[in-house]
Amino acid sequence: MIHFRPIILLFLVIVLFACAEQMVQKSDPLLSWNDGKNKQSIMDFVNEITNETSPNYVKPADRIATFDNDGTLWSEQPYYFQLQFALDRVKVMSADHPEWKDIPLFKAVLDNDINKVLSFGEHGLLELVMATHAGMTTEEFSQIVRDWIITAKHPMTKRLYKEMVYQPMLELLDYLRANGFKTFIVSGGGIDFMRPWTEEVYAIPAEQVIGSSGKVKFEMKDGQPVLTKLPEINFIDDKEGKPVGIYQSIGKRPIAAFGNSDGDLQMLQWTAAGNGKRLMVYIHHTDAEREWAYDRESHIGRLNKGLDEAVKKGWVIVDMKNDWNKIYPELVR
Amino acid sequence: MIHFRPIILLFLVIVLFACAEQMVQKSDPLLSWNDGKNKQSIMDFVNEITNETSPNYVKPADRIATFDNDGTLWSEQPYYFQLQFALDRVKVMSADHPEWKDIPLFKAVLDNDINKVLSFGEHGLLELVMATHAGMTTEEFSQIVRDWIITAKHPMTKRLYKEMVYQPMLELLDYLRANGFKTFIVSGGGIDFMRPWTEEVYAIPAEQVIGSSGKVKFEMKDGQPVLTKLPEINFIDDKEGKPVGIYQSIGKRPIAAFGNSDGDLQMLQWTAAGNGKRLMVYIHHTDAEREWAYDRESHIGRLNKGLDEAVKKGWVIVDMKNDWNKIYPELVR
């Protein structure tokens, strides 16, 4: 019966591979997180809702996790990266807009006077977004974003903006997906600005990205149907808008939600108010050396009311400085 | 070496199961579709875009297929099933609305005078929807829909409405998903009316349902955050609205789209205008015996301009009478 041996060998190899795979799965899925109560709370939650014998078991279809983007999945200082994109666009587009040099807001952009730009407040930012994010087809805009995201670098870290994503959060996204979660972005940022790169950077496909948006119009252009971006607000996905956006786009209440500012508070409240076990997490920016340290007084990503409520309700408050042993991914050039 | 035999046996069993599975996969996935050029066109398309050696290969992340609901996945005659839901709600709610018996539109509903109701046109239908689909939390409304869908029966077929889905389309949905497609509903019907039952009936989860919607408001009620449905239109997902809704919710252009009326034309045009191979399908209601026969003159699901364009462009026009050997699923009571 010597001729059976190759089959037996094959069988042993299969068993060996299965064991090796199990061992890999048992290694730490959150390597960049230091051991401690926050990491433990996250893993305890996942273990419990995936345990079929637990009263808190959640079937895979309802394992919805929502993530804010700016300040939660990537950095947001000294100002939102999408604003830098808008500033860069103003400069590129200014050749076709000689009138801009006489308009104070646009003149400030062209003069690189960022403090002056910020002094125009939210209204000014919106005006810059309208001027740079509309008046073209959706496909033209996507291409502009794709070209920018592979070249634009942060002035302080000299990293590409897309390399300023948090390594611990990438691991967390993977870990949740490995446990049957569907991961969504729910950001105040522009949906059109995020979708061209979220699949590559976060493994979150376009259809799982919720954000602020402008109106688009279906029309015929040279006999071809196109969607044209209009300079009109469609939806602002911030504060009270976040649970509304989640409801309109997903139609299910998340069981886990992650944010870093008061703009995420309503999303966390709405998540918390569901039945069964829930996970609410705030990322607290406490690391002035490796990233930035800011909360109650910051003009970007202010965390004030949210911090009080998180403490009161016992939500997880991630201390970036102490909970994360790595901030950004290592660069392989 | 007799002691190896159980292992060998186990191995043979594994091989046998693998073969059996392959055989099942090779059996006809579209059993309720008669052989012919339409069935062949659909299968040729799927074979080509999943063939990695084809220039028309599409990677799984971009295999987006969108389906209209009324008249495409389930019947819509003699009037939209959601209208029946609204009529039923008016009757239930009338106890709290004594004033309705003096309002002609509502009086017609209470008198069961459907022709009179329809004579109020689109504006009347919208008024009924506003009166019955708002003024409660989103969770209360979902529960009302769930209770209705498991009990309400069509007056002519005596089937539950949810049993009036098309068996050939259920097979098509399964077939596409087995080939890596993500299937979406893109309906003029209400998103809140569909989501409570699409997972069970079509295996399409809530987050893959796009439809018309009302506005919702985040607010605190007895200390708990809730979303309250307002009697205001948020979005009409019909005609030009369909590509807009797809863009806002999915952010990708479908490679296959299925409809049955002029309301689906822009979705099919926008699908057709993408690069590479595309599949555009109209379901043509030609079977007056087993279902209904209607197209250019129908007050519900009119197919006029769309039919002309489908003929001109060579899109697939499914002839329900001749292409489908079964309309509804067999009932197992």
Side-chain angles (χ1 to χ4, degrees), chain A residues 138-139 182 192 195 206-208 214 218 220 224-225 227 243 247-253 266 269-270 273, chain B residues 138-139 182 192 195 206-208 214 218 220 224-225 227 243 247-253 266 269-270 273:
Chain A
T138 52
E139 305 212 328
K182 214 165 178 175
D192 290 1
R195 282 176 165 169
E207 63 269 27
Q208 286 162 225
F218 177 88
M220 289 289 170
Q224 287 293 309
L227 295 173
Y247 179 72
Q248 300 284 21
S249 293
I250 308 178
K252 292 173 183 167
R253 192 192 296 254
Q266 289 82 356
Q269 288 173 328
W270 197 57
Chain B
T138 52
E139 305 212 329
K182 214 164 177 176
D192 290 2
R195 281 176 166 169
E207 62 270 28
Q208 287 162 225
F218 177 88
M220 289 289 172
Q224 286 294 307
L227 294 173
Y247 179 72
Q248 300 283 22
S249 293
I250 308 178
K252 292 173 184 169
R253 193 193 295 254
Q266 289 83 355
Q269 288 172 328
W270 197 57

Side-chain angles (χ1 to χ4, degrees), chain A residues 82-83 86 90 106 124-134 141 231:
Chain A
Q82 190 177 357
L83 175 57
V90 168
F106 288 87
L125 303 188
L126 211 58
E127 203 170 322
L128 292 177
V129 167
M130 290 301 168
T132 54
H133 289 54
F141 185 76

Side-chain angles (χ1 to χ4, degrees), chain B residues 211-231:
Chain B
S212 297
S213 58
K215 289 198 189 295
V216 302
K217 186 185 172 192
F218 177 88
E219 56 188 1
M220 289 289 172
K221 198 173 161 180
D222 306 326
Q224 286 294 307
V226 295
L227 294 173
T228 302
K229 285 174 65 61
L230 306 178

Side-chain angles (χ1 to χ4, degrees), chain A residues 102-174:
Chain A
D102 301 317
I103 303 173
L105 170 63
F106 288 87
K107 185 172 184 304
V109 176
L110 298 173
D111 292 347
N112 287 315
D113 188 347
I114 186 68
N115 288 328
K116 183 85 182 279
V117 171
L118 293 175
S119 74
F120 286 89
E122 214 163 282
H123 175 78
L125 303 188
L126 211 58
E127 203 170 322
L128 292 177
V129 167
M130 290 301 168
T132 54
H133 289 54
M136 65 207 85
T137 70
T138 52
E139 305 212 328
E140 287 163 351
F141 185 76
S142 289
Q143 191 55 52
I144 291 168
V145 173
R146 272 193 293 270
D147 292 343
W148 185 85
I149 201 78
I150 58 170
T151 53
K153 289 187 176 174
H154 194 279
M156 294 158 79
T157 65
K158 310 293 180 204
R159 281 176 173 249
L160 293 173
Y161 288 101
K162 72 184 174 100
E163 293 165 344
M164 291 179 69
V165 296
Y166 304 131
Q167 176 63 26
M169 296 306 283
L170 296 180
E171 293 168 11
L172 182 57
L173 286 168
D174 278 342

